[in-house]
Amino acid sequence: MESDNLGDVLETSELRRAGASGNVVLTLRIRRYNPELRGEESWWDEFAIEIDPDDRLLDALHQVKWYHDGTLALRRSCAHGVCGSDAMMINGRNALACKVIVKDVAPKVTVEPIRGLPVLKDLIVDMEPFFQGYEAVLPYLINDEGEPGRERLQSPEERARFDDTTKCILCAACTTSCPIFWGDEEYVGPAAIVNAHRFIYDSRDRGARERLQILSERTGVFRCRTTFNCTEACPRGIEVTKAIQDVKRTILFERF
Amino acid sequence: MTIFHTYDAVIVGAGGAGLRAAIEAIDGGVSTAVISKLYPTRSHTGAAQGGMCAALGNVEADSPEWHAFDTVKGGDYLVDQPAAQLMCEGAVEAVYELEHWGMPFDRTPDGLINQRRFGGHTRNHGEAPVKRACYAADRTGHMILQTLYQQCVKRNVRFFNEFYVLDQLMVDGACAGVVAYELATGELHVFRAKAVLYATGGFGRMFKVSSNAHTLTGDGPAVLFRRGLPLEDMEFFQFHPTGVYKMGILLSEAVRGEGGILVNSEGERFMERYAPTVKDLAPRDVVSRAIYQEIKEGRGVGPYRDATYLDVRHLPRDVIEEKLPDVTEFARVYLGVEPTREPVPVQPTAHYAMGGIPTDADGRVVLGPEETPVPGLYAAGECACVSVHGANRLGTNSLLDIVVFGRHGGGHMAGFARDAHPPALPEQPDGFVSDMVSGLLGRPEGHNAAAIRSELQGDMYDLAFVVRSEESLRKMQGILEGLRERYDRVYVQDQGKVFNTELMEVVELGFLLDCADSLVAAALAREESRGGHYREDHPLRDDDNWLKHSLTYREEDGSIRLEYKPVKMGTYVPMERKY
């Protein structure tokens, strides 16, 4: 290793992380809903807090909850973008609060619940319809050919075919960014199709026909109008719209 | 209005251990419910990155016996050897089973499950690192969690999501069920059950810098601790060497498995000095102490010289992008660092509880040095202490632990529940939880819970982390007493019943305080250094006096009582631990 080179890097990295600029003031404008306190009307609250600009928006929401208003309700767990709990609409776009860095939204940020699912309290929505859509596509490996004494073989190319859609964390950011889903709750939505895709193109699976049948129905892939909202919203970088197009193409052009 | 349910088997927690146990219980033909405070796919198993070890021998020659040796040595000989042997022998089948269920492992050119190197896993008893970890990029835990959840969906498992189990019901020393709080409504639910299995995960959130989710608050261990059951080996907590600087987010050991190295401010690959044979792939306790030492001697990096660098710039671009995509993204998102061009500042992060609820290899909760099983009570995964990890867990062995012992526990509980009679419930089964909740909600003012939590985390980080001493631990005990007094007068602003997440966070803080009490008491008593427990005032391992498991109990007067039980030895005789 060249230590000179490392020294240069060290200096620039340190400047970036030294927090020399100190805390910033962040104003959070949060859409509130609390049927026990205020009935069916939602309202807006604003909180101004001081925070390290390198912190996460989730940290800012915690600061509000922990030191300003304990009634603020949100879901969160891992705080680094892998559990899928804290999908919210942030400045009008769906994202995970734990993957948004304060300096990227300061001095003011608007936070609302994700759209298209019933709001239960503040930023918490009813996830049951979302998971029903997921379950509808038979999201598990189907193969009753008998199991070998060791692993089934799968080439790296076969494995790569469905790699992208295995990344899904079921956060609902895609489904609740979809204008079709907002207007038609019967539509299974992008996340369910992503999870169907993950099995349809898995060389070990034998359930593609059943899933494609489900997805060719009125509530399936052909509701999609290719607006790419879902792809933009996915915090895992999944090419959601492409996955939906894959499934459409298979239904249209291949016998199954 | 309390709501009553009856099941043969209840599983508390829906991470890898809970879901694997649920599959086994359902397949064993007993009525089963899974109660989880999160939606199952939010569980922290999903954050595990690097792999799951099994001696498949797909890439290099390997054997389960070598794996067992590494596990025992890695655990600094505090491992119960028969359990470790069982786990390592069961690993191969466990991996195949996951593959048959659809787990998308990475593949070799021949289509076999691919394998990579990991810390402490070696060929032929320490000769050199071996490729033993089966993986799916750097999201192996995510894939295991998804696969197990998919199998539960297929089996139509009954889930109670966003229900918090807050009390264990016992009648005549046997399990009778649990009491849970429903987050959406604030209602209490009594689950009468012949058998209950805890799989609630760890409690890393007692430390300021942790890789753990906010929700990892030791709920299962604390619930049982409050009921007078012991916790085992709580002083052994793993500090993972490579957490994202300041935030603690895990950067997988797979980074070093794929060839990444640790460097200090002088650009030196310092692990060559601490572990000449396996270098950066030494077990985590060894590497974390080495980082601590480098920082102490002034060779740290960063604005406060309190980190070291993890460097992957010499690795091929496709290895970084294809085998380590998530950790690469973490560095970019959370540090603004581009790992292909810059080294990543890291520091040890509180990662894994080796200790927990004492169980035997069937997952049965056992009491005292005699290891008397509690009828109907089970635990598996991180909240349990089998003990297969001893004083220091090897990387990947947690994913292995959860599937192997989730299965054993679930199978045993199904067998037990088939034969057992439905238990009677104690009088006023929801009384304890009802009092707890109304006590917390009844105060017009009081102490701020976040301030208590923040002090707990900060002080545990300063006083009971990688390096400890009698002085630091005594100080921590004093601090815990003060925090407890404040907690007893804590204020909850939200008085509602609907999604009162503030109330549940306060309850979780109480669980963390219980686990911290236990950890600190056991750490103070253990006057030696072993695995993850390092005492600078007793820097050497002392097998003559301390080759034994600790048990901590909460006494009626609130004090902590300690007891010890022997380690189950086997083929491997303790020797000096060199890498």
Side-chain angles (χ1 to χ4, degrees), chain B residues 244-255:
Chain B
V244 166
Y245 181 57
K246 284 203 329 194
M247 291 184 173
I249 297 165
L250 179 66
L251 297 178
S252 174
E253 198 167 286
V255 175

Side-chain angles (χ1 to χ4, degrees), chain A residues 81-155:
Chain A
V82 299
C83 81
S85 296
D86 61 347
M88 304 171 186
M89 193 153 64
I90 296 161
N91 286 339
R93 292 182 161 217
N94 282 359
L96 302 178
C98 62
K99 283 192 83 173
V100 173
I101 306 300
V102 166
K103 65 183 166 213
D104 295 332
V105 294
K108 185 162 181 176
V109 63
T110 300
V111 183
E112 300 168 74
I114 46 179
R115 286 174 68 179
L117 294 167
V119 180
L120 301 174
K121 182 176 177 182
D122 295 337
L123 302 170
I124 294 180
V125 300
D126 182 0
M127 293 295 288
E128 292 303 325
F130 173 80
F131 279 102
Q132 280 163 16
Y134 165 78
E135 288 176 19
V137 301
L138 314 178
Y140 41 81
L141 191 87
I142 296 173
N143 183 331
D144 52 15
E145 291 172 359
E147 289 158 358
R150 50 180 309 157
E151 72 263 58
R152 293 190 180 95
L153 297 181
Q154 183 170 54
S155 72

Side-chain angles (χ1 to χ4, degrees), chain A residues 1 16-17 36 65-66 70 75 77 83 98-99 121 128 139 150-152 166 168 170 198 204, chain B residues 39 58 99-100 102 107 113 142-143 150 162 214-215 311 329 334 336 493-494 497-498 501 505:
Chain A
M1 149 159 321
R16 187 173 311 153
R17 279 182 300 278
E36 288 178 294
K65 179 174 179 60
W66 293 345
R75 291 191 178 105
S77 188
C83 81
C98 62
K99 283 192 83 173
K121 182 176 177 182
E128 292 303 325
R150 50 180 309 157
E151 72 263 58
R152 293 190 180 95
T166 64
C168 176
L170 298 167
R198 177 254 169 275
R204 301 167 297 173
Chain B
Y39 274 85
N58 281 359
E99 197 284 328
H100 295 156
R107 300 290 175 149
I113 292 169
H142 163 75
M143 297 298 197
Q150 291 155 6
E162 299 185 323
H214 284 284
T215 44
D311 194 350
E329 196 198 355
Y334 296 110
Q493 180 191 347
D494 192 339
K497 289 174 77 75
V498 177
T501 53
E505 284 186 21

Side-chain angles (χ1 to χ4, degrees), chain B residues 110-180:
Chain B
D110 297 333
L112 301 172
I113 292 169
N114 206 355
Q115 298 184 277
R116 61 161 58 126
R117 297 191 175 110
F118 238 82
H121 290 278
T122 70
R123 178 183 75 213
N124 196 20
H125 312 97
E127 275 180 11
V130 71
K131 292 182 175 173
R132 182 179 291 151
C134 310
Y135 63 97
D138 54 356
R139 49 178 186 277
T140 313
H142 163 75
M143 297 298 197
I144 289 179
L145 184 67
Q146 294 286 325
T147 301
L148 293 173
Y149 183 62
Q150 291 155 6
Q151 290 299 310
C152 288
V153 170
K154 183 180 176 188
R155 287 166 174 77
N156 213 4
V157 170
R158 178 75 169 97
F159 285 100
F160 291 86
N161 296 328
E162 299 185 323
F163 279 56
Y164 290 66
V165 166
L166 303 183
D167 192 22
Q168 168 66 36
L169 299 176
M170 304 285 286
V171 171
D172 300 330
C175 170
V178 295
V179 183

Side-chain angles (χ1 to χ4, degrees), chain B residues 221-534:
Chain B
V223 160
L224 296 183
F225 193 55
R226 288 175 182 186
R227 283 286 172 196
L229 276 78
L231 298 179
E232 180 175 347
D233 288 345
M234 291 290 280
E235 64 270 46
F236 296 102
F237 204 94
Q238 177 163 86
F239 305 101
H240 192 294
T242 59
V244 166
Y245 181 57
K246 284 203 329 194
M247 291 184 173
I249 297 165
L250 179 66
L251 297 178
S252 174
E253 198 167 286
V255 175
R256 284 168 288 137
E258 296 289 355
I261 57 170
L262 288 160
V263 291
N264 61 21
S265 62
E266 294 171 10
E268 182 204 8
R269 185 183 182 186
F270 57 86
M271 281 313 298
E272 286 178 335
R273 272 187 281 119
Y274 294 91
T277 305
V278 298
K279 304 183 178 74
D280 298 88
L281 288 175
R284 292 169 178 174
D285 59 326
V286 175
V287 181
S288 282
R289 274 194 298 282
I291 290 175
Y292 176 86
Q293 196 62 27
E294 291 300 299
I295 290 169
K296 191 177 164 192
E297 291 174 12
R299 292 187 293 276
V301 304
Y304 305 102
R305 303 269 166 209
D306 59 350
T308 54
Y309 280 133
L310 180 60
D311 194 350
V312 296
R313 290 174 296 164
H314 55 288
L315 297 185
R317 185 88 186 208
D318 60 324
V319 169
I320 297 175
E321 298 287 354
E322 287 168 25
K323 295 193 167 177
L324 305 166
D326 281 8
V327 294
T328 307
E329 196 198 355
F330 296 149
R332 288 173 184 151
V333 170
Y334 296 110
L335 290 167
V337 165
E338 175 46 54
T340 55
R341 292 198 306 272
E342 301 170 275
V344 183
V346 295
Q347 62 181 177
T349 181
H351 185 54
Y352 186 87
M354 270 74 73
I357 305 161
T359 73
D360 64 14
D362 290 320
R364 294 187 292 181
V365 175
V366 292
L367 299 181
E370 305 77 24
E371 304 212 311
T372 314
V374 182
L377 198 56
Y378 295 80
E382 187 175 348
C383 76
C385 181
V386 179
S387 131
V388 283
H389 309 305
N392 171 65
R393 175 174 70 74
L394 288 190
T396 78
N397 272 356
S398 58
L399 289 177
L400 178 58
D401 174 1
I402 59 178
V403 290
V404 168
F405 292 104
R407 177 182 162 199
H408 281 292
H412 200 282
M413 87 188 291
F416 175 87
R418 276 195 301 269
D419 299 336
H421 292 292
L425 283 173
E427 276 184 44
Q428 282 204 311
D430 57 344
F432 178 83
V433 176
S434 177
D435 290 350
M436 182 200 304
V437 169
S438 57
L440 287 169
L441 290 179
R443 295 184 197 111
E445 59 179 18
H447 291 281
N448 180 290
I452 299 172
R453 182 171 46 233
S454 165
E455 284 173 48
L456 169 72
Q457 293 169 337
D459 291 330
M460 286 295 287
Y461 178 71
D462 288 338
L463 302 170
F465 208 62
V466 175
V467 175
R468 305 159 171 177
S469 67
E470 179 179 350
E471 189 191 348
S472 76
L473 293 164
R474 281 206 191 285
K475 191 171 172 199
M476 192 66 225
Q477 266 189 329
I479 290 167
L480 283 169
E481 279 175 34
L483 294 176
R484 169 77 54 188
E485 282 171 24
R486 280 159 63 193
Y487 183 77
D488 288 341
R489 285 174 289 130
V490 70
Y491 170 60
V492 179
Q493 180 191 347
D494 192 339
Q495 298 286 309
K497 289 174 77 75
V498 177
F499 285 96
N500 192 337
T501 53
E502 186 192 17
L503 175 66
M504 284 303 106
E505 284 186 21
V506 169
V507 169
E508 290 173 325
L509 173 60
F511 291 152
L512 278 181
L513 286 170
D514 279 322
C515 290
D517 281 344
S518 169
L519 185 152
V520 172
L524 179 60
R526 185 173 287 271
E527 296 183 330
E528 66 155 354
S529 291
R530 183 187 296 273
H533 172 70
Y534 183 77

